[in-house]
Amino acid sequence: MEERRLGPVIGLGTWNTFGRDSATAQAVVDAALDAGCRIVDSSPMYGAAEASLGAALDSRRDVSVVATKIWARGVDEGREQFRRQLEWFGRVEIEQIHNLVAWEAHLEWLERERAEGRVERLGVTHYSPSAFGQLADALRTRRFETVQLPLNPHERECELELLPLAAELGVAVIVMRPLGEGALVRRTPPESVLDELGVETWPQALLKWALSDERVDVVIPATRNPEHARANAAAGTPPWFDDEQRRLVERFAA
Ligand SMILES: NC(=O)c1ccc[n+]([C@@H]2O[C@H](COP(=O)([O-])OP(=O)(O)OC[C@H]3O[C@@H](n4cnc5c(N)ncnc54)[C@H](OP(=O)(O)O)[C@@H]3O)[C@@H](O)[C@H]2O)c1
């Protein structure tokens, strides 16, 4: 699989998939890691997903890259979330401030955690274009190394300001919702279109569509199905789409 600044370009999301179902978590995480994925994304917002993920990674923690989040209005609550994450994961490679919640307050103590080696990189996330102006302001502080945002043929607002800004500042980009929370995979285009794109499945076409923008470092599709995790990982290998192939994907995603 191709590697960019954060490692292999296909990761794994954990929102609304396995929750506290540890058997499903184990099967999905094993399938993703076996297929070459490394980044796993979670959050205290996703119920028991972090705990299930920690258990599933267990013996393979050294080959995984944990990207999780702090989602708390106050510093004490945020620090408690971090304390539990250290129990589950040992360390956190990418600690993101979820939806910009209290980001200035959290940055101060998270920067200390990074200086002491318990966190490798700091990031910030938001799902809504209405907050992209604030997300850009946060990036301009130059205190973040990653940004997580939505990008798929139906959600392209980040192309206006955030992707150029991230490229200018050297901030790595993590793409959430590459399959539109599943809405984009309900229809499949004809086989001839997949052939033209050089992919086996429509989800692979959507993942390649995002990764064909070289400003993107990793996409993190979520699944509760190990077969889907394997198929998604296969989209992480070049060649990437040219402009014409990207437009073809956009036409069938419309
Ligand atoms: N949504 C948000 O607002 C948000 C916000 C912040 C962060 N994130 C992060 O970004 C991650 C990804 O976003 P997301 O989970 O919202 O949406 P997504 O990854 O775009 O879509 C997930 C959906 O796609 C389906 N899917 C995945 N692979 C498939 C395949 N090969 N074939 C058919 N269906 C497939 C899954 O169903 P199956 O289980 O059936 O495969 C699931 O319903 C999240 O899990 C989370 O870690 C999301």
Side-chain angles (χ1 to χ4, degrees):
M1 192 184 304
E2 180 163 306
E3 299 202 11
R4 297 187 187 167
R5 286 172 291 186
L6 300 177
V9 293
I10 307 281
L12 179 71
T14 63
W15 181 62
N16 247 345
T17 46
F18 39 74
R20 70 179 64 256
D21 176 352
S22 54
T24 301
Q26 190 71 64
V28 170
V29 167
D30 281 348
L33 292 181
D34 287 345
C37 301
R38 292 292 173 260
I39 294 193
V40 288
D41 178 80
S42 198
S43 170
M45 191 199 258
Y46 307 162
E50 282 184 303
S52 304
L53 182 61
L57 289 173
D58 191 28
S59 62
R60 303 170 82 183
R61 181 64 187 89
D62 54 326
V63 297
S64 60
V65 175
V66 170
T68 192
K69 310 188 188 84
I70 298 297
W71 180 57
R73 289 194 188 284
V75 168
D76 288 349
E77 189 189 352
R79 293 189 81 99
E80 175 57 17
Q81 290 177 351
F82 183 61
R83 189 191 62 73
R84 301 185 74 198
Q85 290 168 353
L86 291 180
E87 281 178 12
W88 291 317
F89 306 121
R91 64 187 185 283
V92 175
E93 281 81 7
I94 305 173
E95 187 69 271
Q96 306 158 100
I97 297 176
H98 199 146
N99 288 352
L100 288 160
V101 178
W103 66 273
E104 281 152 313
H106 292 311
L107 250 184
E108 290 199 11
W109 67 268
L110 283 171
E111 283 173 335
R112 283 197 299 277
E113 296 296 344
R114 183 179 55 188
E116 287 165 20
R118 287 179 285 274
V119 168
E120 216 170 281
R121 289 180 162 98
L122 293 177
V124 61
T125 83
H126 213 291
Y127 69 94
S128 171
S130 65
F132 282 3
Q134 288 165 269
L135 203 47
D137 289 343
L139 295 186
R140 283 194 196 93
T141 64
R142 297 181 178 262
R143 292 167 77 184
F144 292 103
E145 294 145 299
T146 71
V147 61
Q148 184 178 147
L149 40 74
L151 176 65
N152 62 57
H154 284 185
E155 295 184 282
R156 304 186 63 173
E157 294 88 346
C158 67
E159 292 174 339
L160 292 176
E161 183 182 14
L162 284 172
L163 287 184
L165 181 64
E168 179 194 325
L169 298 175
V171 171
V173 174
I174 300 173
V175 165
M176 67 169 81
R177 299 209 293 241
L179 306 176
E181 296 182 330
L184 292 174
V185 297
R186 290 194 190 115
R187 265 180 328 138
T188 299
E191 198 69 33
S192 57
V193 172
L194 301 183
D195 288 347
E196 210 170 319
L197 294 167
V199 295
E200 285 173 1
T201 72
W202 179 233
Q204 287 170 354
L206 293 161
L207 299 175
K208 279 204 160 197
W209 179 89
L211 289 168
S212 297
D213 186 323
E214 61 187 19
R215 297 168 296 188
V216 169
D217 287 274
V218 60
V219 296
I220 49 167
T223 181
R224 52 172 61 88
N225 181 332
E227 276 307 318
H228 288 173
R230 272 186 281 277
N232 292 344
T237 308
W240 306 111
F241 294 159
D242 59 24
D243 289 348
E244 207 174 304
Q245 287 173 308
R246 278 192 113 214
R247 277 197 296 275
L248 186 61
V249 174
E250 288 154 26
R251 239 184 3 259
F252 281 93

